[in-house]
Amino acid sequence: MTDLEAERQRMVDEQIVRRGLTEPRLLAAMRAVPRHEFVPAEYLDYAYDDGPLPIGSGQTISQPYIVALMTHLLALRGVERVLEVGTGSGYQAAVLAHMAAEVHTVEILPELAEQARVSLNRLGLNNVHCHLADGSLGWPKAAPYEGILVAASAPDVPPPLLEQLADGGRLVLPVGGRLSQELVVVTRQGEKYERRTVLSVAFVPLRGVHGWKAGHFQ
Ligand code: SAH
């Protein structure tokens, strides 16, 4: 086992299991995906630390525990089609690729979308489809989705994502203010949407039609 692999196993034990996430398939995915392949070279030594890291363009790769928690909240069995909004580094998409049948991930910044595509291809994760677009509009072409995960914070739940959620599906996203938000799970039952709040989080802002308007970035 290399040092980085050993660090990754320790990350899962100390940051994920110890905080109460014990689902075997989730832990297997977190143990398998090399987070160090998704962080910039200068942060390699911190790849398995307990926090987010910069990935360029003012964006971040999420804290490992938050990636695990959001994945857990989708309650995936392995047969689902899933949408991620905010590809960033591609790390969360790689974890989802181990947990679902098919993953569509949408990124609005071309340089990040391209880099993520390279990283995901290198790992041979061919059930992930990367798209360069405004994900606040979802990705209608492959809808409906049994799971939707948004990795950037929205002022409110973007209506297109509710429309693209399959009956019985779950949408996990941070909703709230510009600096801090609540992690929300929306479950669809027919035309009824049940909403519950899980914990306080701090995500980078969602842009696009249903994201924060330009003035809010200052
Ligand atoms: N899931 C990522 C974390 C990404 S941070 C990872 O595992 O690394 C949030 C990302 O959302 C950023 O890359 C940002 O550019 C992207 N983003 C912001 N608004 C977006 C939008 N409207 N559509 C798609 N991506 C968006």
Side-chain angles (χ1 to χ4, degrees):
M1 200 186 283
T2 66
D3 285 358
L4 285 165
E5 273 168 28
E7 279 188 50
R8 182 161 70 252
Q9 303 316 316
R10 196 158 58 234
M11 169 194 91
V12 174
D13 294 336
E14 293 179 359
Q15 301 172 32
I16 314 296
V17 177
R18 198 172 286 177
R19 290 191 178 114
L21 296 178
T22 56
E23 181 199 338
R25 290 180 62 247
L26 175 66
L27 297 183
M30 297 299 294
R31 290 191 192 284
V33 178
R35 191 173 190 257
H36 66 269
E37 301 219 10
F38 294 89
V39 306
E42 63 264 41
Y43 294 109
L44 198 60
D45 288 349
Y46 310 102
Y48 294 104
D49 281 10
D50 192 12
L53 288 171
I55 53 171
S57 309
Q59 307 304 315
T60 55
I61 177 173
S62 305
Q63 180 189 10
Y65 173 67
I66 293 295
V67 169
L69 178 63
M70 290 177 84
T71 306
H72 165 74
L73 291 170
L74 289 178
L76 300 169
R77 291 176 300 129
V79 296
E80 298 85 356
R81 183 162 59 232
V82 170
L83 173 68
E84 181 196 23
V85 177
T87 312
S89 68
Y91 175 65
Q92 172 78 75
V95 171
L96 290 172
H98 283 259
M99 300 288 292
E102 186 179 325
V103 180
H104 290 265
T105 181
V106 184
E107 172 58 52
I108 202 166
L109 298 178
E111 62 276 19
L112 291 180
E114 187 46 39
Q115 183 55 49
R117 194 172 273 138
V118 169
S119 304
L120 291 162
N121 280 343
R122 198 187 315 127
L123 294 179
L125 295 169
N126 48 25
N127 60 338
V128 183
H129 308 275
C130 297
H131 310 288
L132 176 62
D134 174 7
S136 79
L137 299 169
W139 185 255
K141 275 184 224 167
Y145 304 96
E146 285 80 33
I148 301 180
L149 186 160
V150 185
S153 74
D156 220 326
V157 182
L161 301 184
L162 295 175
E163 282 157 29
Q164 291 170 36
L165 197 58
D167 196 2
R170 291 160 177 244
L171 163 61
V172 178
L173 80 173
V175 180
R178 170 69 184 72
L179 295 177
S180 82
Q181 309 90 31
E182 300 295 327
L183 194 58
V184 169
V185 182
V186 181
T187 307
R188 179 173 191 170
Q189 298 295 348
E191 289 314 303
K192 263 188 53 199
Y193 296 88
E194 187 193 87
R195 185 172 163 152
R196 74 184 167 100
T197 293
V198 180
L199 93 165
S200 295
V201 288
F203 274 81
V204 297
L206 183 73
R207 299 155 191 251
V209 173
H210 297 285
W212 296 93
K213 299 296 161 254
H216 288 114
F217 286 102
Q218 264 84 71

